[in-house]
Structures are given as structure tokens and as C-alpha cells.
Amino acid sequence: MKIKRRTKIFIITFTLSLLFFWGINLMEKSLSEFFFWHELSKHRHIFKAHVALSQKMNEMAPLKNRFAPELELEAKSAISVLIADDKERILFEKDIDEKLAMASLTKLMTAIIALEHYDLSKEIIISEESVNQHGSINKLEQGKSFTAKYLLYPLLIESSNNAAFALANDYPEMNEKLFVELMNQKAKELEMKNTFFINSSGLDPEDFNGKTNYSTVDDL
């Protein structure tokens, strides 16, 4: 009876020891991962080196707590891209080819067209139509003149619809139709195959009829 009792005690003790040491090892591993990524977050050069090494080995260590739930995005489409050493790597994607209205992201192309085709020092006289554009913080006055370069600041910093319209319509020898043609031509040059522009601001026109500036997250 004593032998059986000792054997039973030994088995129970051994099992509890295994569970204890397993728990210790798991906690140690979790703490090691936590401090590892905590230190990386404070030292960007170390993080970049780790990313470069991971890419070289064709693998990427997880950047999240493995016990955290999977990411759920309400956005219709999304993309996350890591760019290192002029190389792109998609980390996450969701319906990246779905065509959606791009709204004020349009103004990035508006700026590109102005930078590539305009004399940025040329004065632009603001028209009444530019001042009356919908949804703008109106800081531009009718009849006042600004350089094309100056208008790029409210265009990109304030997302000014006034500035977008003025760049496309008030610049000498330029109009919305020609400006939009240049935008669509540039989109083709950049191989943005699912992108189309109808105006320089991203505003939906009053006679909407389903027509708007659209693109995909892959193109953008």
C-alpha cells in the first residue's frame, strides 16, 4: 500500500512539475517577445535591420500578439504595403481591385499635373466660380491673384476645392476639360488601369448620374 501511495504521489508531483515548467517557459517566451518588439519600437535602425533580415530569409516575424483576434476591417477595400530598399511587399490586402470613389485623393493627381505642366511662378487670378466651389474653407478671394505654387499649399494641406478648381480653370490657357485629359493621360502612364477622373477636386458633380472620380487601392 505504501509503495502504491508513493507511486501515486510521485506521478501527481511529476505531472504538476511538468505543467509548472511548461507555464514558466510559455511566460518566458511571451515576455521575451514582448521586450524584443518593445525594444525594436524604440530603435528604428534595429527594426529596419530586422525587416531586411526577415525579407532576406523570405519570412516576416509577426508584429502582433498571437493571442489577439484577427483584424476585421469595415472598409470596403484596403492595402498595407511595406517599402524597404525600394522594394514593395504587401502585408495585407482586401478587395484591392474594387473601383471606388476616391474623393479628395484626386488632389494628389491635380498637384502632379500642376507640377509637371505649369510655370509655378505664374500668377493665377481667382474667378468667381472658383470661390463658390462647394465644401471649401473659403480663403481665396475673387479677383485676387496667387502663384500656381502658392495654390498647391491649400490644395494639399487644406484639401481646398477652391484651389483645385482654380488650378484647373483659372490658369492661363487652361480649362477643366484639358486639365482632366492630362490627369487621365498621367494615370495611363502610371499604369493605373482602373482609375478615371472627371474633375480636379474629387467632388461629385450636381448631375451625378453615377459618374465620379474612381480608382482602386491597388492603383493608388
Side-chain angles (χ1 to χ4, degrees), residues 60 63-64 69-83 88-97 217-218:
M60 187 69 185
L63 298 178
K64 70 164 193 170
E70 288 299 316
L71 179 66
E72 291 184 12
L73 293 182
E74 293 182 4
K76 291 182 180 179
S77 62
I79 191 168
S80 175
V81 182
L82 173 68
I83 301 177
E88 294 184 3
R89 178 172 183 174
I90 296 177
L91 302 179
F92 175 83
E93 61 181 44
K94 175 186 176 183
D95 297 331
I96 62 173
D97 292 319
V217 293
D218 187 47

Side-chain angles (χ1 to χ4, degrees), residues 78-215:
I79 191 168
S80 175
V81 182
L82 173 68
I83 301 177
D85 299 323
D86 295 325
K87 294 180 180 179
E88 294 184 3
R89 178 172 183 174
I90 296 177
L91 302 179
F92 175 83
E93 61 181 44
K94 175 186 176 183
D95 297 331
I96 62 173
D97 292 319
E98 184 174 353
K99 295 177 182 178
L100 298 167
M102 72 177 96
S104 280
L105 287 173
T106 294
K107 295 180 176 75
L108 296 174
M109 183 64 84
T110 301
I112 289 172
I113 299 305
L115 288 167
E116 292 188 353
H117 294 274
Y118 285 6
D119 174 358
L120 297 181
S121 64
K122 189 177 284 292
E123 295 284 328
I124 296 176
I125 300 174
I126 305 300
S127 66
E128 180 181 1
E129 198 171 359
S130 293
V131 171
N132 292 331
Q133 287 299 296
H134 177 70
S136 288
I137 303 171
N138 198 353
K139 294 183 178 179
L140 302 180
E141 295 181 34
Q142 180 183 348
K144 289 285 185 74
S145 64
F146 302 91
T147 63
K149 180 180 179 180
Y150 175 87
L151 290 176
L152 291 174
Y153 288 92
L155 175 79
L156 296 174
I157 297 173
E158 300 173 359
S159 191
S160 170
N161 296 324
N162 308 116
F165 190 88
L167 284 166
N169 291 273
D170 298 339
Y171 188 86
E173 300 180 3
M174 180 58 72
N175 58 61
E176 184 92 17
K177 182 179 179 182
L178 177 56
F179 195 90
V180 170
E181 286 178 1
L182 291 172
M183 294 172 77
N184 285 315
Q185 181 181 322
K186 185 64 179 180
K188 288 181 180 179
E189 290 175 11
L190 295 172
E191 298 184 1
M192 300 172 75
K193 298 176 182 178
N194 295 307
T195 298
F196 186 73
F197 298 97
I198 65 169
N199 61 42
S200 60
S201 64
L203 279 172
D204 292 333
E206 290 182 8
D207 54 340
F208 181 49
N209 294 325
K211 294 182 180 179
T212 187
N213 295 353
Y214 66 78
S215 187

Side-chain angles (χ1 to χ4, degrees), residues 38-76:
H38 180 67
E39 285 302 307
L40 281 188
S41 69
K42 295 192 296 183
H43 303 286
R44 292 186 179 182
H45 60 286
I46 298 177
F47 176 75
K48 289 178 71 176
H50 174 72
V51 169
L53 179 62
S54 297
Q55 286 187 317
K56 210 169 188 179
M57 297 171 66
N58 197 30
E59 63 179 12
M60 187 69 185
L63 298 178
K64 70 164 193 170
N65 184 333
R66 63 178 178 275
F67 299 112
E70 288 299 316
L71 179 66
E72 291 184 12
L73 293 182
E74 293 182 4
K76 291 182 180 179

